[in-house]
Amino acid sequence: MRTSTEHRRRAGDLPVAMVFLLPAAVGFAVFYLWPTLRTMYLSLTDYSLLAPPEWVGAGNYERLLGDRLFWNSLKVTVEYVVINIGVQTVVALGMAVLMHRLTRSGLIRGVLLLPYLVANVVVALIWYTMLDAQLGIVNQALEWIGLDPVAFFGETSTAIPTIALVNVWRHMGYTALLIFAGLQAIPKTVYEAAATDGASEARMFWRITLPLLRPALALVLVLTIIGSFQIFDTVAVTTKGGPINATRVIYYYIYEQAFQRFNFGYAAAVCVALFAILATLALLQLKLLRAGDSDLD
Amino acid sequence: MRRITRLAAVATILPLALAGCGSGESGDGGGSGAAPSAEKIEISYWLWDSNQLPAYQACADAFQAANPNISVKISQFGWGDYWTSLTTNLVSGNAPDVFTNHLNYYPEFAGKQQILPLDEFVAADGTKTDAYAPGLADLWVSADGKRYGLPKDFDTIAIFYNKKMLADAGITEDQMKSLTWNPKDGGSYEKIIARLTVDKNGKRGDEPGFDKKNVEVYGLGLDENNGAGVGQQMWSMYALSTGWQFTDKNPWGTKFQYNDPRFQDTIAWWRGLIDKGYMPSLAIARSGTSVNDGFGAGKYALSTNGSWMINTYYGYDGVEVGTAPTPVGPSGKRATIYNGLADSIYAGTKHKDQAWQWVKYLASADCQKTVGDKAVVFPAIPEALTIAEQKFAAKGVDISAFTVQIHENTTSLFPITDHAGDVAAIMSPAMDAVLSFEAEPSSLSKANDEVNALFQ
């Protein structure tokens, strides 16, 4: 597909290109680059938010290594991400394939997206109310079929899985739509050829859909995993980090350190640690999943 | 080519992770010159309680009528959002000129020069600081002797009870007024809690064959909020009635006393109620609805809560509610935390004088009578409290269960210390661990060491 003219762009295009790039570049510098650099600087200071920062060098990072709650928050966050992404990807892939192979209905596609259109906080609060151990409708239903009520958000063992699944419910339609877009890039002719050869739906899924979907899936995974690591709002409106430290996910820990305990410098150090983890993870994923290459070439 | 695009994609995505972290900028404090008097000046005012909004709007209307050059713009936020918004606005230099302040937060704001000392204004205008219920005005004087607020209201803790459940259990309302408590067997207080607990088969908590695994109505509700190291409406009224105090001195203590056996025995007794089936487990309490909604839905017979919740508890359809003072403890006295709110002026305000006029009015008998007339909170000025008392009575609410402790002088100050945010962050998971039986009450001694290390 690539032609040699692509490599020999005329220098005359440069000013025009700059005009088109400028708005995005300014936005990137102001909203991403500058805050990132400032966070990195603040992570080397003792900064109580309401007084000027004081330089402490690597002090915050030393403290980080010995902070039991930081490691706990990482563990809890990873547990959340594994459940959230694991379930969500499988469900979304199934939904996308069904949309792709079974229906052309715009209405159904729209309905699948509905939970995503409801604000995160509202979704969290509604589920929080529905899952209440004594008054929640879900536990009423459990009681009718003869099961004991479960304090979904209240038990240390079920709190994180509950939050992870609530967010699966909200995001699965959106993720399915992203995967669906990837599916549409697979040429119909491949399926027609397979059908002529007498391949079953299951075989087509494993041999055609999944391999050809790999680049799209890789991108979806990178995006959703990074998003998943940033779980905050559901925790903030429901469990607030508890019971004990069961849902003190890393972003909630950062928020607590920064805005409730005024340890802004330390919170910035946790931010930078999270940044390093996510950067490594994203690069690793893209490398392993060869997101840049398509098997269609 | 592709490699570069891929790197660019990663570079674009990743800062998303950081964007939320680095937006803090220190405010420059703003100007402070007096504005020209001819122009109309707008003062912004924040509060968190939506129940109180109409009362303070009425105050603002009266204030504006008397001061045509000043207008007051009131904004209300829920309790949780309030402090987050306030902090971020303080940081960005956009905080409201005047805001409702809390004892848990003002030491931090005062220490970081975010709120103005009022002493100069008070001295210049000859404002009386002894017009309030005893002790309230002293709460707002910091360790360095400066005043940061004028009292507007106060609150205490009492027991809300479901009248029908009481009658069904054969307990009289008079009995509720003379309850005693101790951390060993819980006294007559635990006896009525047991009596009011009913299992799915209709057996009461004090009857043989009571099934603590299948409870229909708990005698006592457990708050959905973690009371952290204060336990204001959760456990403070028991612990304080043993003679225990939060800190070595109050206000401005520097040594917490969570290692005291009287405190730990109280917590041991309190969580024992869960084990006996008289109070829901921490997991149930945290699973979705508030303790007051649980009370309103008939899941709890008793619920300890603050006077600011009166209208909520009395507002549930089909529930007849009464109130009783907290039980008399081993010290021979009842106990309750005595907490008060006040209004503070933002240090960066551009309209200091107008802000002071508004604060002075909020703390005046005129405004507090207006607030008392709406019967939502207890005003700090005694004559305004009398009005509130009558208005509450007209609604069928007897507030004597809340005020008796002031008359009998059994109140304790809300613990006012530095590092309140850090203390809460340490005590909150520590208390959770004890309440969920993952740690023993003696583990609170270790948390106490951590707390006290903050003050070293």
Side-chain angles (χ1 to χ4, degrees):
Chain A
M1 301 292 266
R2 275 175 288 176
T3 62
S4 56
T5 50
E6 222 179 288
H7 293 291
R8 280 184 273 117
R9 286 214 174 91
R10 276 168 297 137
D13 286 348
L14 191 66
V16 183
M18 293 303 275
V19 170
F20 279 101
L21 283 175
L22 197 66
V26 168
F28 177 75
V30 172
F31 294 111
Y32 292 129
L33 196 60
W34 170 242
T36 306
L37 293 176
R38 192 170 157 78
T39 302
M40 286 176 173
Y41 159 68
L42 286 177
S43 76
L44 302 171
T45 66
D46 180 8
Y47 178 36
S48 69
L49 212 63
L50 300 172
E54 271 172 56
W55 184 263
V56 293
N60 285 328
Y61 292 95
E62 276 165 35
R63 183 176 153 196
L64 190 73
L65 291 176
D67 184 355
R68 189 175 54 83
L69 284 174
F70 166 71
W71 295 108
N72 171 70
S73 75
L74 261 188
K75 192 188 116 228
V76 170
T77 313
V78 168
E79 191 193 334
Y80 169 85
V81 171
V82 167
I83 300 174
N84 178 245
I85 295 300
V87 177
Q88 178 173 290
T89 311
V90 171
V91 173
L93 185 62
M95 279 167 62
V97 171
L98 287 178
M99 273 197 276
H100 185 56
R101 303 295 291 159
L102 283 182
T103 174
R104 298 258 173 277
S105 160
L107 182 73
I108 292 182
R109 287 174 198 171
V111 167
L112 290 178
L113 201 60
L114 263 184
Y116 188 70
L117 302 179
V118 184
N120 248 345
V121 170
V122 176
V123 168
L125 284 178
I126 289 175
W127 278 102
Y128 194 43
T129 315
M130 291 203 306
L131 293 174
D132 182 72
Q134 297 183 97
L135 304 171
I137 188 164
V138 174
N139 276 306
Q140 291 292 327
L142 286 183
E143 236 169 294
W144 285 328
I145 57 173
L147 293 173
D148 282 335
V150 182
F152 292 96
F153 280 102
E155 297 280 0
T156 44
S157 55
T158 53
I160 274 287
T162 305
I163 293 171
L165 293 178
V166 164
N167 284 327
V168 165
W169 179 81
R170 180 172 183 270
H171 291 272
M172 61 189 178
Y174 178 71
T175 314
L177 218 62
L178 290 178
I179 299 174
F180 178 66
L183 287 176
Q184 285 189 313
I186 302 173
K188 293 243 164 14
T189 48
V190 192
Y191 288 101
E192 281 159 16
T196 332
D197 291 344
S200 66
E201 269 299 325
R203 200 172 163 81
M204 281 196 264
F205 173 78
W206 290 108
R207 290 298 165 92
I208 300 174
T209 310
L210 220 45
L212 291 181
L213 195 60
R214 203 201 58 241
L217 212 52
L219 196 72
V220 167
L221 272 177
V222 171
L223 280 174
T224 51
I225 287 181
I226 290 175
S228 188
F229 261 97
Q230 298 181 45
I231 167 69
F232 173 76
D233 30 21
T234 317
V235 172
V237 296
T238 59
T239 58
K240 298 180 179 68
I244 317 178
N245 294 308
T247 60
R248 211 167 300 278
V249 291
I250 192 150
Y251 253 60
Y252 195 78
Y253 189 55
I254 290 170
Y255 161 80
E256 235 180 16
Q257 287 289 350
F259 293 103
Q260 291 182 345
R261 307 183 68 172
F262 300 101
N263 296 325
F264 215 83
Y266 184 62
V270 183
C271 274
V272 173
L274 180 64
F275 176 82
I277 293 169
L278 289 184
T280 318
L281 215 65
L283 280 173
L284 218 65
Q285 270 183 308
L286 290 174
K287 195 128 205 122
L288 290 176
L289 289 164
R290 292 178 294 125
D293 309 308
S294 169
D295 293 341
L296 273 173
D297 282 344
Chain B
M1 192 64 206
R2 274 192 175 142
R3 179 169 298 275
I4 292 167
T5 336
R6 190 199 303 168
L7 278 175
V10 175
T12 324
I13 295 163
L14 281 174
L16 288 172
L18 276 171
C21 306
S23 47
E25 281 280 357
S26 229
D28 61 356
S32 55
S37 57
E39 254 177 88
K40 190 160 174 144
I41 302 285
E42 188 179 85
I43 296 287
S44 49
Y45 176 59
W46 282 15
L47 49 85
W48 64 76
D49 189 350
S50 57
N51 291 326
Q52 297 179 35
L53 184 57
Y56 284 101
Q57 189 57 55
C59 280
D61 294 343
F63 177 74
Q64 291 172 71
N67 300 275
N69 287 340
I70 311 175
S71 69
V72 178
K73 186 170 177 283
I74 304 184
S75 309
Q76 180 260 325
F77 302 84
W79 168 261
D81 298 333
Y82 186 86
W83 299 104
T84 325
S85 309
L86 188 64
T87 310
T88 46
N89 279 291
L90 286 171
V91 173
S92 61
N94 298 319
D97 300 301
V98 180
F99 58 89
T100 310
N101 213 341
H102 191 274
L103 294 172
N104 215 10
Y105 290 85
Y106 100 84
E108 192 91 46
F109 293 151
K112 297 198 161 69
Q113 281 90 44
Q114 295 299 310
I115 49 178
L116 282 185
L118 304 178
D119 304 85
E120 278 178 39
F121 300 112
V122 169
D125 283 10
T127 314
K128 279 192 185 141
T129 55
D130 58 358
Y132 308 100
L136 282 182
D138 306 335
L139 295 170
W140 295 91
V141 178
S142 76
D144 57 6
K146 288 183 186 149
R147 166 170 303 282
Y148 287 96
L150 285 177
K152 57 196 293 180
D153 62 19
F154 71 88
D155 52 68
T156 55
I157 307 299
I159 305 167
F160 291 90
Y161 56 78
N162 184 316
K163 282 190 180 176
K164 183 170 180 299
M165 291 181 184
L166 222 62
D168 288 350
I171 298 165
T172 65
E173 296 192 50
D174 278 340
Q175 262 176 288
M176 290 298 296
K177 293 193 176 106
S178 53
L179 294 173
T180 58
W181 172 86
N182 67 69
K184 295 225 161 52
D185 61 13
S188 63
Y189 184 51
E190 182 172 328
K191 286 205 176 70
I192 63 121
I193 293 174
R195 181 84 193 137
L196 286 164
T197 306
V198 185
D199 74 7
K200 293 247 175 353
N201 302 317
K203 279 253 184 295
R204 295 192 170 272
D206 58 357
E207 289 170 351
F210 165 71
D211 179 7
K212 68 176 188 179
K213 294 267 180 268
N214 287 296
V215 176
E216 185 64 35
V217 176
Y218 291 98
L220 182 64
L222 176 58
D223 209 280
E224 77 282 9
N225 289 308
N226 183 311
V230 180
Q232 189 176 5
Q233 65 269 37
M234 298 86 180
W235 48 258
S236 68
M237 53 283 184
Y238 315 129
L240 292 166
S241 78
T242 64
W244 174 80
Q245 286 293 322
F246 289 95
T247 46
D248 52 346
K249 59 179 177 84
N250 196 17
W252 311 112
T254 53
K255 223 174 141 225
F256 275 85
Q257 311 189 114
Y258 300 123
N259 56 349
D260 189 306
R262 287 173 296 181
F263 166 73
Q264 294 183 0
D265 289 348
T266 301
I267 299 301
W269 168 81
W270 186 46
R271 78 163 187 180
L273 294 180
I274 297 175
D275 198 35
K276 292 167 188 158
Y278 302 160
M279 185 165 80
S281 67
L282 183 78
I284 292 175
R286 292 287 167 76
S287 68
T289 41
S290 60
V291 67
N292 41 288
D293 282 348
F295 177 86
K299 290 288 173 187
Y300 311 133
L302 309 178
S303 174
T304 53
N305 222 322
S307 50
W308 65 91
M309 293 297 284
I310 289 177
N311 287 337
T312 308
Y313 274 84
Y314 278 86
Y316 291 108
D317 266 350
V319 184
E320 278 236 50
V321 184
T323 48
T326 57
V328 175
S331 67
K333 287 181 188 172
R334 307 179 193 283
T336 176
I337 282 187
Y338 185 38
N339 180 34
L341 304 182
D343 295 297
S344 292
I345 301 178
Y346 169 44
T349 177
K350 291 188 176 62
H351 313 293
K352 268 188 191 175
D353 295 326
Q354 289 82 357
W356 162 248
Q357 292 303 322
W358 173 233
V359 167
K360 193 170 80 172
Y361 184 71
L362 285 168
S364 72
D366 280 349
C367 173
Q368 301 209 353
K369 280 181 193 166
T370 309
V371 173
D373 199 52
K374 302 267 180 191
V376 281
V377 284
F378 300 162
I381 293 182
E383 52 175 315
L385 177 64
T386 313
I387 295 179
E389 211 156 354
Q390 289 159 0
K391 289 287 169 177
F392 271 115
K395 289 201 279 189
V397 181
D398 175 11
I399 61 168
S400 63
F402 292 94
T403 51
V404 64
Q405 304 219 34
I406 294 170
H407 303 313
E408 291 178 359
N409 207 10
T410 53
T411 60
S412 293
L413 293 186
F414 190 96
I416 302 171
T417 64
D418 283 327
H419 308 293
D422 288 316
V423 174
I426 294 168
M427 289 308 290
S428 189
M431 290 299 290
D432 265 10
V434 172
L435 266 190
S436 55
F437 294 87
E438 295 203 12
E440 288 306 309
S442 57
S443 69
L444 295 167
S445 296
K446 196 175 148 278
N448 192 56
D449 293 342
E450 262 184 83
V451 165
N452 284 334
L454 296 167
F455 294 86
Q456 302 292 301

